[in-house]
Amino acid sequence: MAALLPVILLAALVAAFLGIGRAHAEDIACNGVNLLDSWEKTAPDRIDRIEAEAALVPNGTGTFWKIEKPGVPPSYLLGTMHVTDPRVLTMPKGAPEAFTAASTVIVESDEILDEKKAQVALFSDPSLTMFTDGSTIESYLDADQKVILTEGLKARGLPLATVARMKPWMIASFVSLPPCELGRKAGGAVFLDQKLAQDAVSQGKTLKGLETIVEQIQALNDLPMAFHVSALVDTLKLGNLVEDAMETTTELYLDGRIATIMPMLKAASQTVEGSDSEQEAVAFEQRIVTDRNHVMATRARESLDTGNVFMAVGALHLPGPEGVVELLRKDGFTLTVMPRT
């Protein structure tokens, strides 16, 4: 279940594009707790394993980076989360000033500015979101999985029959996010990337997107259906632990401990019986994270060569030997993590 967090965060992005949750405008409190705080008392060995794994990841700490190249003004790179948590909307030290000074703003997709246009683009190819071959989600479920999915949807007021023709990543947009996040979205709250895009346009800056929503969903569509079904069912099996995982992820993000997020989530998933295979999890990370890292770095290069850019992408795209930070270094840029205080 190492892919759980990317599933949740991609679900958050899809939910933003499609306006999911807008029909349920409720003020719902967030009830998640930090799992690491609990494990420090109950499972210190688990903490040691998480920290050891995180320590092996290059560029694993920090969300705000300075990008330099001789002869051009410096640019900046901010790792984000696609959620509406007010804590996440507050950028780290130095980032607001860097944004104000930038002439160009780069985000993952500039389609976040126009939800209706994004929906038209997404639904132009029904196979990206729906089963078009006569099958349904039930065609891919065994008996136990069907019970789990049916009950999980029922708890959220969604009969299985109403979503049966949706691809599992679409269903995940309804069930993988904590109620408080859906409630904020329902009230019209934006996530940080959206706010940056809106502010860039209102301030007359050049706004550029690195991907389209169709490309992002196509990346999901490229993976085996069995993997998506398993990830969806496993997410439902976590129950309220999803809220704890999101809270822990948020606090790690705010602390700049990005490389700790995936090992933490892997440890959380091991508390639930049954998970996706390691091979499938690696395939997910390759297609959804690593492959897209290369796309982002390549498409950002021309603007970064000019300088004075503020670039914001999901924080999970920053660390690792093939993360955006390291890929930009290989392109000749110098990247330095900015101090948090």
Side-chain angles (χ1 to χ4, degrees), residues 31 52 92 153 155 173-174 186 192 222 235 243-244 261 282 284 295 308:
N31 298 314
L153 290 171
S173 302
F174 294 94
L192 180 55
D222 289 343
T235 300
E243 293 190 58
D244 296 339
I261 292 173
V282 170
F284 186 100
V295 170
N308 203 26

Side-chain angles (χ1 to χ4, degrees), residues 142-157:
D142 62 30
D144 291 338
Q145 289 175 325
K146 183 175 180 179
V147 170
I148 293 168
L149 183 58
T150 300
E151 292 302 315
L153 290 171
K154 183 179 178 181
R156 293 161 174 80

Side-chain angles (χ1 to χ4, degrees), residues 98-164:
F99 179 85
T100 298
S103 58
T104 298
V105 173
I106 296 176
V107 292
E108 286 187 26
S109 175
D110 56 4
E111 291 175 329
I112 54 180
L113 280 175
D114 191 335
E115 179 183 293
K116 291 183 178 179
K117 184 178 179 180
Q119 290 176 8
V120 170
L122 180 58
F123 291 120
S124 65
D125 181 356
S127 68
L128 291 176
T129 59
M130 308 289 286
F131 292 105
T132 58
D133 59 358
S135 64
T136 68
I137 188 71
E138 295 181 66
S139 306
Y140 298 89
L141 300 171
D142 62 30
D144 291 338
Q145 289 175 325
K146 183 175 180 179
V147 170
I148 293 168
L149 183 58
T150 300
E151 292 302 315
L153 290 171
K154 183 179 178 181
R156 293 161 174 80
L158 291 170
L160 177 57
T162 64
V163 298

Side-chain angles (χ1 to χ4, degrees), residues 145-207:
Q145 289 175 325
K146 183 175 180 179
V147 170
I148 293 168
L149 183 58
T150 300
E151 292 302 315
L153 290 171
K154 183 179 178 181
R156 293 161 174 80
L158 291 170
L160 177 57
T162 64
V163 298
R165 292 189 61 238
M166 291 183 181
K167 294 285 182 73
W169 47 89
M170 293 294 292
I171 300 175
S173 302
F174 294 94
V175 305
S176 297
L177 299 177
C180 61
E181 176 65 16
L182 287 174
R184 286 192 296 258
K185 287 183 183 299
V190 298
F191 57 94
L192 180 55
D193 309 63
Q194 283 178 304
K195 186 177 188 306
L196 292 174
Q198 291 170 356
D199 290 348
V201 171
S202 68
Q203 294 173 25
K205 302 178 187 296
T206 298
L207 178 67

Side-chain angles (χ1 to χ4, degrees), residues 51-69:
E51 292 179 347
E53 185 174 341
L56 298 176
V57 180
N59 312 311
T61 58
T63 58
F64 187 45
W65 296 74
K66 187 175 185 178
I67 306 174
E68 297 175 286
K69 197 171 191 177

Side-chain angles (χ1 to χ4, degrees), residues 173-316:
S173 302
F174 294 94
V175 305
S176 297
L177 299 177
C180 61
E181 176 65 16
L182 287 174
R184 286 192 296 258
K185 287 183 183 299
V190 298
F191 57 94
L192 180 55
D193 309 63
Q194 283 178 304
K195 186 177 188 306
L196 292 174
Q198 291 170 356
D199 290 348
V201 171
S202 68
Q203 294 173 25
K205 302 178 187 296
T206 298
L207 178 67
K208 295 185 177 181
L210 299 175
E211 302 174 303
T212 66
I213 179 62
V214 169
E215 288 177 319
Q216 292 175 332
I217 301 302
Q218 183 61 59
L220 289 171
N221 205 38
D222 289 343
L223 292 169
M225 189 60 61
F227 170 79
H228 286 297
V229 170
S230 177
L232 175 61
V233 171
D234 286 346
T235 300
L236 288 168
K237 287 165 67 176
L238 284 174
N240 292 335
L241 193 61
V242 169
E243 293 190 58
D244 296 339
M246 181 65 83
E247 175 61 24
T248 310
T249 296
T250 301
E251 293 191 26
L252 286 172
Y253 169 80
L254 295 172
D255 289 340
R257 298 166 61 190
I258 307 306
T260 307
I261 292 173
M262 292 304 290
M264 175 279 297
L265 199 58
K266 188 186 301 181
S269 71
Q270 290 169 352
T271 65
V272 178
E273 181 182 356
S275 65
D276 52 73
S277 73
E278 186 65 25
Q279 182 178 2
E280 288 174 327
V282 170
F284 186 100
E285 185 170 358
Q286 178 66 44
R287 185 67 187 93
I288 303 303
V289 182
T290 305
D291 288 355
R292 293 175 61 217
N293 293 347
H294 285 269
V295 170
M296 292 177 186
T298 298
R299 293 179 179 176
R301 187 182 305 141
E302 182 178 357
S303 296
L304 294 174
D305 279 336
T306 302
N308 203 26
V309 170
F310 189 94
M311 178 175 171
V313 299
L316 288 180

